[in-house]
Amino acid sequence: MTKKHPKTTPQTASLVLFDSNGRARKASAHALRIQLADGRSLTLDLSQAGDGVVALLAEHTDTHQQAGLLVRPDNADALSVAVTATPIVTTTGTPATPPEFELDVQIGDGMAKREGLPSRKQIQKWVKSALYADAALTVRFVDEEEGRTLNRTYRGKDYATNVLTFAYAENADDPVSGDIVLCCPVVEAEAREQKKALEAHYAHLIVHGVLHAQGYEHDDDAEAEEMEAIETETMQALGYPDPYQVK
C-alpha cells in the first residue's frame, strides 16, 4: 500500500502596513505591488519569504519604457530602491515598439509602370526603421522634369537630384511631418554607376529622407558623420550593405 504524503500549503508572509499617522495594519500575502502614478511599479514577491528571500520586480505599464531597479545601500541593514524608466530602443536607436505613422505613397505622372519601384510594404518597412517619433510622411516618386522643377523652385538648383526632403516641423516639439521626393531616373543612374542594387539604393535614400524629416542635417562634418553612422546601422539592420562602402 502506497503511503500518501499530506499536501503542504505554501506559507504566506505577514505584511505590516503603516499609514501616514504611523498606525499599523497587518495582512497576509504572497506578493505586494506598489503602483506609482506614472505607470512604474515595484512588486515584492514573497513566495520564498519562508526561506528569508524577498524578490523585487520592476515593471512599467508603458510598453515603450523599460523599468529597472537602482539599489543604493544606506546602512548595513538598509537599502534604498528606485524604480527607473528608460525608453526601449533597438540597436539602431529607434524605439523597439515602433512609432505610429501615416504614410502616403504617391506616383508622379507617367511613373506608374516604371520598373524597379519599391512596393508600399517595402517603403513602410524602410520608413519605420528610421523613425524615432510618430510621424505623417509622404513618399513621392517623380520623373526628371518634376524633380528638376522642385529642386529649382525650392532650392535654387536647376537640376534633378536623387532625393528631396521637405520637413514641416518648425521646432522639436512639433509632430514629425514631411514630403520625401525621389527622382527615379537619377536614382536608377546612381545605382548603376555605384554598382548598387536598385532596391538597396531606394531603401537608403528613403532612410536618408526620413532622418531629414526628423531634423537631421549634414551641413558640417560632425552632422554628416552622425547621420551617415545612423544610416549605415539602419541599412545593415535591414539586411543591406553599408551604403557608403565604395566598391
Side-chain angles (χ1 to χ4, degrees):
M1 181 176 179
T2 303
K3 184 178 180 179
K4 293 184 178 180
H5 295 279
K7 292 183 179 180
T8 57
T9 303
Q11 293 182 341
T12 59
S14 179
L15 297 175
V16 180
L17 308 176
F18 296 91
D19 63 19
S20 59
N21 296 317
R23 290 191 294 265
R25 183 167 63 88
K26 197 171 183 179
S28 295
H30 284 285
L32 171 68
R33 175 170 293 165
I34 302 169
Q35 186 71 54
L36 304 180
D38 65 354
R40 290 176 295 164
S41 67
L42 177 64
T43 299
L44 283 73
D45 181 356
L46 305 172
S47 60
Q48 302 177 69
D51 297 324
V53 177
V54 176
L56 301 179
L57 174 65
E59 296 177 285
H60 207 302
T61 56
D62 185 348
T63 56
H64 294 76
Q65 299 287 328
Q66 174 66 56
L69 289 174
L70 182 62
V71 180
R72 185 191 68 207
D74 291 332
N75 297 295
D77 59 352
L79 292 172
S80 291
V81 179
V83 183
T84 62
T86 54
I88 300 175
V89 297
T90 66
T91 55
T92 60
T94 56
T97 302
E100 296 182 359
F101 65 97
E102 297 177 10
L103 177 63
D104 182 19
V105 178
Q106 298 180 358
I107 308 297
D109 293 343
M111 305 298 294
K113 295 183 179 180
R114 196 173 192 93
E115 292 185 6
L117 288 181
S119 67
R120 181 181 179 85
K121 187 176 180 180
Q122 287 175 310
I123 297 167
Q124 286 177 320
K125 182 178 180 180
W126 300 337
V127 169
K128 185 186 297 184
S129 73
L131 270 183
Y132 295 85
D134 295 349
L137 298 172
T138 296
V139 175
R140 181 174 175 83
F141 298 89
V142 302
D143 60 14
E144 192 166 359
E145 181 181 354
E146 184 175 344
R148 181 176 180 178
T149 299
L150 289 171
N151 203 21
R152 181 177 62 245
T153 302
Y154 294 101
R155 296 178 65 215
K157 299 181 178 182
D158 193 18
Y159 57 85
T161 190
N162 52 16
V163 60
L164 288 169
T165 302
F166 301 94
Y168 302 125
E170 295 182 356
N171 56 64
D173 295 328
D174 290 342
V176 175
S177 63
D179 295 335
I180 300 168
V181 181
L182 296 110
C183 183
C184 298
V186 176
V187 175
E188 292 164 5
E190 287 180 345
R192 288 193 300 270
E193 292 165 5
Q194 298 171 22
K195 296 181 172 56
K196 294 179 178 179
L198 181 57
E199 178 185 313
H201 198 36
Y202 270 125
H204 175 217
L205 293 175
I206 287 176
V207 166
H208 184 86
V210 171
L211 292 177
H212 269 316
Q214 296 173 98
Y216 284 89
E217 296 295 343
H218 44 75
D219 295 331
D220 58 44
D221 290 345
E223 289 179 341
E225 185 176 341
E226 178 188 17
M227 196 166 175
E228 288 178 11
I230 295 172
E231 290 170 26
T232 298
E233 288 186 11
T234 303
M235 288 292 289
Q236 290 177 336
L238 288 167
Y240 298 109
D242 181 349
Y244 294 101
Q245 185 87 36
V246 179
K247 293 185 178 181

